[in-house]
């Protein structure tokens, strides 16, 4: 069997339609959208068409869409922008313990610069409590930032309810929707979202292009200073090919969303049930149903996730343990610790994230190979030996 890519939460391949759409802007369509001659006007038009496509996909207006260089940049911009602008009003930000580092590290930076941050805990399924949120709100609270879908365990937060609470209390609401857009329905006006981040490479677009949605009437500080691009808010000559690709990718993802989500959730459940039924001392991480249609995350007691990944790699199966950004470090994932896993169990986690290329045959092959790999690793594990001795 050829390579099996089960790491769509880390990144997705560019789909052919997207590649075709962006290619002309890497070749003959190289005009700078800020210039005035014909090839420049073509670039400008393509840029604005992509803005319309993104706006439509989110239920927003084109004027509310700002292109960025990544999802990370959009998170930084949203949070630091609001924090700096609303400093006279307050210095308190509410977020969660399970955010992506793009949000967490931005909050840590602000905490060193006079802001106060509340990290809401999550329950053992990875979901925040709305009661905790309400209790955390203070007169100085200027921003609530809660991710729509978690990149490690796939859990979905009650975004619409959070949006309603934020609106009632007149607090701005930002959501990191990088894992959500194109995978589950997102509508900024229905969900009461003031600011939203997304990234092209998580929805079959290229790396290095993202979006910050900022609701009309919400003041947005300029984040990168220079020329007048993005209506003076984000300077730098636009990544036209990347932006065109993002527009095409998001339009396709949203048009196929319902069908693809239904297909993937069947496959995801097959992965989860197949693992839990075949392999003892295993648990599912995240919520059983309130999770991304493509995400399965399980922990195996007595083994190291990293070793598991290497053995899977040798079988041509590419997966992840924790998130790509944290693997390589020995700290267990902050997300798995936040849902209450002990350190050892957090280390033995496996994240399978499916996508357009995933098939039933791939999952059967994976489920056929996995038990022997786990057994092999447990046979080498001193922890497992102790466990067997204690039980005997
Ligand atoms: C991937 C990811 C990001 C970062 O997006 P980049 O475009 O890779 O910078 C932020 N948040 C979440 C939830 C992600 O999964």
């Amino acid at each position: 069997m050829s390579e099996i890519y089960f790491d769509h939460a880390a990144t997705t391949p560019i789909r052919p339609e997207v590649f075709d759409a962006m290619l002309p802007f890497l070749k003959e369509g190289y005009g700078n959208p800020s210039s005035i001659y014909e090839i420049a006007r073509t670039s400008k038009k393509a840029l604005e068409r992509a803005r319309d496509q993104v706006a439509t996909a989110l239920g927003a207006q084109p004027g509310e869409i700002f292109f960025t260089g990544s999802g990370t940049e959009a998170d930084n911009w949203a949070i630091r922008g609001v924090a700096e602008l609303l400093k006279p009003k307050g210095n308190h930000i509410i977020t969660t313990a399970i955010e992506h580092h793009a949000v967490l590290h931005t909050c840590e930076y602000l905490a060193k610069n006079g802001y106060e941050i509340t990290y809401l805990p999550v329950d053992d399924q990875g979901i925040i409590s709305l009661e905790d949120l309400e209790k955390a709100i203070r007169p100085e609270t200027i921003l609530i930032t809660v991710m729509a879908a978690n990149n490690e365990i796939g859990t979905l937060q009650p975004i619409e309810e959070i949006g309603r609470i934020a609106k009632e209390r007149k607090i701005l609401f930002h959501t990191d929707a990088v894992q959500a857009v194109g995978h589950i329905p997102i509508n900024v006006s229905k969900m009461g979202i003031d600011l939203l981040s997304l990234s092209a490479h998580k929805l079959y677009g290229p790396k290095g292009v993202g979006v910050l949605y900022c609701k009309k009437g919400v003041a947005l500080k300029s984040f990168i200073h220079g020329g007048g691009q993005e209506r003076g808010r984000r300077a730098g000559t636009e990544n036209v090919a990347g932006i065109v690709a993002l527009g095409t990718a998001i339009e396709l993802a949203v048009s196929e969303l319902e069908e693809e989500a239904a297909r993937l959730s069947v496959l995801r459940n097959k992965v989860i049930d197949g693992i839990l039924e075949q392999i003892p001392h295993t648990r599912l991480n995240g919520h059983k149903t309130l999770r991304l249609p493509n995400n399965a995350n399980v922990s195996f007691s007595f083994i190291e996730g990293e070793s598991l990944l290497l053995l899977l790699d040798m079988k041509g199966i590419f997966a992840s343990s924790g998130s790509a950004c944290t693997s390589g470090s020995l700290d267990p994932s902050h997300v798995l610790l936040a849902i209450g896993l002990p350190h050892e169990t957090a280390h033995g986690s496996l994240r399978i994230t499916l996508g357009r290329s995933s098939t039933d045959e791939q999952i059967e092959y994976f489920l056929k190979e996995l038990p022997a790999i786990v057994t092999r690793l447990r046979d080498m594990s001193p922890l497992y030996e102790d466990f067997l001795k204690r039980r005997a």
Side-chain angles (χ1 to χ4, degrees), residues 306-374:
E306 301 288 310
S307 324
L308 183 55
L309 295 187
L310 288 176
L311 295 184
L312 285 172
D313 184 6
M314 287 165 63
K315 299 282 178 192
I317 299 167
F318 307 151
S320 162
S321 172
S323 70
C325 323
T326 46
S327 59
S329 92
L330 286 174
D331 295 336
S333 135
H334 65 285
V335 177
L336 297 177
L337 296 181
I339 60 170
L341 290 200
H343 278 237
E344 301 95 68
T345 320
H347 272 304
S349 82
L350 175 69
R351 180 185 73 180
I352 300 289
T353 45
L354 308 173
R356 286 169 41 80
S357 60
S358 307
T359 62
D360 206 43
E361 293 76 56
Q362 291 182 346
I363 286 160
E364 304 222 324
Y365 172 75
F366 164 72
L367 289 173
K368 183 167 73 63
E369 298 293 336
L370 184 69
I373 293 176
V374 172

Side-chain angles (χ1 to χ4, degrees), residues 185-234:
I186 294 287
N187 183 299
V188 287
S189 46
K190 269 194 213 140
M191 295 176 154
I193 297 166
D194 296 306
L195 297 133
L196 172 146
S197 310
L198 67 88
S199 177
H201 79 99
K202 303 287 175 72
L203 44 92
Y204 305 94
K207 293 156 189 67
V209 56
V211 159
L212 177 61
Y213 154 81
C214 180
K215 188 176 165 180
K216 188 164 175 243
V218 172
L220 182 65
K221 244 181 106 106
S222 163
F223 190 55
I224 298 204
H225 308 283
Q229 293 90 352
E230 296 300 282
R231 287 144 284 149
R233 304 302 214 300
R234 200 274 186 184

Side-chain angles (χ1 to χ4, degrees), residues 9-11 68-75 98-103 147-152 176-180 197-202 206-210 323 325 351:
T11 195
T68 67
S70 62
T72 299
E73 184 190 322
D75 283 340
I98 63 164
E99 298 296 309
H100 188 274
H101 285 132
V103 169
M147 72 199 317
N150 185 269
N151 47 304
E152 293 189 38
D176 173 341
V178 172
Q179 292 288 339
S197 310
L198 67 88
S199 177
H201 79 99
K202 303 287 175 72
K207 293 156 189 67
V209 56
S323 70
C325 323
R351 180 185 73 180

